[in-house]
Amino acid sequence: MSQETQNKLDALAQSYAGISYDHITTYSCGDAPNGKFYRNYNQREVISAVPEARTGRIINKICDELGIDYKDGNAWRINQQDLNKIKQYFEIKRTGKVERKLTRAQVVLIGILKGGSGKTSTTTLLATGISSIPSRIYKTLVIDLDPQKTASSQLVPNIQVEDITIGDLMMHEGTDAEFEEKLSLSIKKTNFPNLDVIVSGDRDRGYDIYVREKESAAKDGEEYQCYKDLERVIEAVRDQYDIILIDTPPHFVAANLSAHYVAEHLIMPVRPSEYDWDSAGMYVSFLARTYKVLRHLGHKGYKTTKLLISSITPNSNAESRLSQKLRQASGAANYFTSSIPRSDAIVACAEQRCTIFDMSLHEFKGTRSSFLKAQQAITPLVFEFELMINEFEGKE
């Protein structure tokens, strides 16, 4: 019986590995560095994305001036790289500055101690949304701390086993020069020119063992502080970005403690169900106790702690009531008024290792009305997130 079980598990493992490989080969043959295709825009979508353009004639004139070829046979098409050039053109006109000086990145943690609450969906939607929707260009970095690497696989479909992970960086013990080189190699470019990723991997599960070994090896009078491992990574890249988003695992392991220490903003995705309500309460209660440790270590406080309702069923009265209860419990300043809907379009995009911001309406192969509703529902959330970031820009 035991051998039969072993054979069955081996066969399942091989079958699932085959599915994963097929996904990688299917969705990583594009023209962008992460294996995806750059998002394409038609003229109407460009005018919507860059309101200053106003008309097709103005857009054509700017494209000619910037050397952007928008003729694709009889169609009008440009990609995400070209759109960013147009956004930069208008940003220079608004500010008079050829290159915007980056402020120190604001570090945003997406966390709650429950699987399936929408942490990864929130991370990837906010990352791709803030990289594509606003007229301003934000340099964004996603750090995937969850060894399940769901965010990594969605943002970087062509990820390889040998790629340098966040765990490799946190466990690095070489020289500073070697660390800088490893860090540079770890940053993955994506199909959004202003969005980068540091991926996670299976071997990152060994970080907890590494931490225990370091704590045991510490000499008398010395103290190993694991939060400094992630802090070292953050400080090394912070001047290169506007926003750093951290996707966390559903358990309060050493890496998660480190993330809560380096973060300045905390976003808690919660599904509108009684079970998730209980989990949110337990997480906040646990965090209140844990924060005493973080304060002792020198944490200066979170600038914002916001509840985000995720995966809410449209037109569900029961879920709307629960959402309202959660928001009332959080307080007016501590929740997003927008939410992430339960949507077939979001699921269909995730199946292709994408979010709804990886493609335009004319590129979506499913029901377009579902796709449009999902984009229209989440766009206000992206703007709320942008307002949150701008409120504290340049403030330590």
Side-chain angles (χ1 to χ4, degrees):
M1 181 69 75
S2 63
Q3 185 58 51
E4 184 180 343
T5 299
Q6 183 67 60
N7 293 340
K8 185 182 294 184
L9 292 173
D10 289 342
L12 283 171
Q14 187 173 0
S15 176
Y16 283 124
I19 293 173
S20 180
Y21 177 77
D22 289 342
H23 265 249
I24 291 172
T25 54
T26 302
Y27 300 117
S28 61
C29 57
D31 52 357
N34 58 350
K36 295 185 185 183
F37 287 96
Y38 286 109
R39 176 176 174 177
N40 282 310
Y41 295 80
N42 61 32
Q43 193 177 65
R44 181 180 299 176
E45 289 162 342
V46 172
I47 294 172
S48 177
V50 189
E52 298 101 318
R54 297 196 304 278
T55 68
R57 181 178 295 180
I58 293 175
I59 283 290
N60 289 352
K61 181 180 178 182
I62 293 168
C63 286
D64 291 337
E65 187 177 331
L66 297 176
I68 297 172
D69 182 10
Y70 51 84
K71 296 177 181 178
D72 183 13
N74 293 325
W76 196 105
R77 295 283 187 273
I78 65 171
N79 67 19
Q80 187 70 53
Q81 292 174 302
D82 298 326
L83 180 67
N84 277 24
K85 292 176 184 177
I86 295 172
K87 287 183 177 182
Q88 190 173 29
Y89 171 91
F90 280 105
E91 189 164 338
I92 291 171
K93 287 192 70 174
R94 283 196 305 270
T95 64
K97 297 177 181 177
V98 176
E99 187 172 348
R100 180 171 61 86
K101 184 179 179 181
L102 297 173
T103 57
R104 281 171 59 81
Q106 295 188 60
V107 184
V108 183
L109 179 145
I110 315 295
I112 194 167
L113 301 182
K114 185 182 185 304
S117 62
K119 292 186 296 295
T120 297
S121 295
T122 300
T123 303
T124 55
L125 284 167
L126 287 178
T128 54
I130 200 70
S131 299
S132 59
I133 293 177
S135 56
R136 174 178 166 181
I137 297 174
Y138 292 91
K139 282 282 290 178
T140 305
L141 174 69
V142 170
I143 297 178
D144 185 5
L145 272 185
D146 191 345
Q148 295 181 90
K149 60 183 180 183
T150 309
S152 299
S153 299
Q154 190 169 9
L155 295 171
V156 190
N158 60 2
I159 182 176
Q160 302 294 319
V161 174
E162 63 271 16
D163 285 341
I164 297 169
T165 67
I166 184 62
D168 294 331
L169 295 173
M170 292 194 296
M171 292 185 279
H172 178 78
E173 295 186 348
T175 65
D176 289 344
E178 291 169 340
F179 173 79
E180 291 293 338
E181 182 181 3
K182 183 179 285 188
L183 175 62
S184 176
L185 293 172
S186 74
I187 296 175
K188 300 296 182 185
K189 300 295 180 182
T190 71
N191 52 316
F192 295 91
N194 46 320
L195 173 61
D196 297 338
V197 183
I198 298 180
V199 302
S200 62
D202 290 336
R203 59 181 176 274
D204 293 0
R205 301 179 195 276
Y207 181 65
D208 275 330
I209 297 173
Y210 172 84
V211 168
R212 286 195 289 270
E213 288 175 346
K214 294 290 287 184
E215 288 174 341
S216 298
K219 299 177 181 178
D220 292 340
E222 295 181 358
E223 184 179 0
Y224 167 70
Q225 296 172 322
C226 67
Y227 70 89
K228 288 190 174 294
D229 297 331
L230 181 58
E231 185 181 47
R232 182 186 189 188
V233 178
I234 296 291
E235 290 304 314
V237 299
R238 200 164 179 182
D239 292 336
Q240 302 170 35
Y241 296 94
D242 297 300
I243 303 166
I244 297 175
L245 282 161
I246 304 178
D247 187 26
T248 57
H251 310 291
F252 211 82
V253 290
N256 211 339
L257 173 66
S258 303
H260 281 77
Y261 177 80
V262 300
E264 300 171 291
H265 302 273
L266 179 61
I267 296 177
M268 300 175 287
V270 180
R271 293 160 59 103
S273 75
E274 294 289 350
Y275 299 117
D276 286 66
W277 187 348
D278 291 342
S279 297
M282 288 187 286
Y283 168 63
V284 173
S285 177
F286 177 76
L287 184 58
R289 298 193 303 271
T290 305
Y291 192 71
K292 294 176 182 178
V293 178
L294 298 180
R295 286 183 63 192
H296 176 72
L297 295 174
H299 194 271
K300 297 178 182 179
Y302 297 118
K303 295 174 180 176
T304 55
T305 55
K306 284 187 176 287
L307 169 83
L308 171 62
I309 302 298
S310 68
S311 197
I312 183 171
T313 304
N315 303 319
S316 169
N317 291 331
E319 292 188 9
S320 293
R321 285 195 303 272
L322 280 169
S323 299
Q324 189 61 25
K325 287 181 181 179
L326 283 163
R327 286 170 173 152
Q328 286 176 349
S330 299
N334 300 318
Y335 64 81
F336 288 99
T337 57
S338 306
S339 57
I340 297 176
R342 190 191 301 272
S343 165
D344 287 341
I346 293 176
V347 175
C349 287
E351 186 181 2
Q352 300 175 51
R353 305 286 175 101
C354 291
T355 77
I356 56 169
F357 298 115
D358 276 286
M359 59 185 77
S360 296
L361 179 61
H362 74 271
E363 297 177 293
F364 185 63
K365 304 301 182 184
T367 306
R368 292 193 172 188
S369 60
S370 172
F371 181 83
L372 188 59
K373 285 179 181 178
Q375 277 198 344
Q376 289 173 339
I378 298 175
T379 294
L381 172 63
V382 175
F383 283 127
E384 273 195 82
F385 178 64
E386 182 186 19
L387 284 172
M388 183 189 86
I389 293 298
N390 287 341
E391 182 181 355
F392 296 96
E393 185 178 33
K395 299 177 182 177
E396 288 295 327

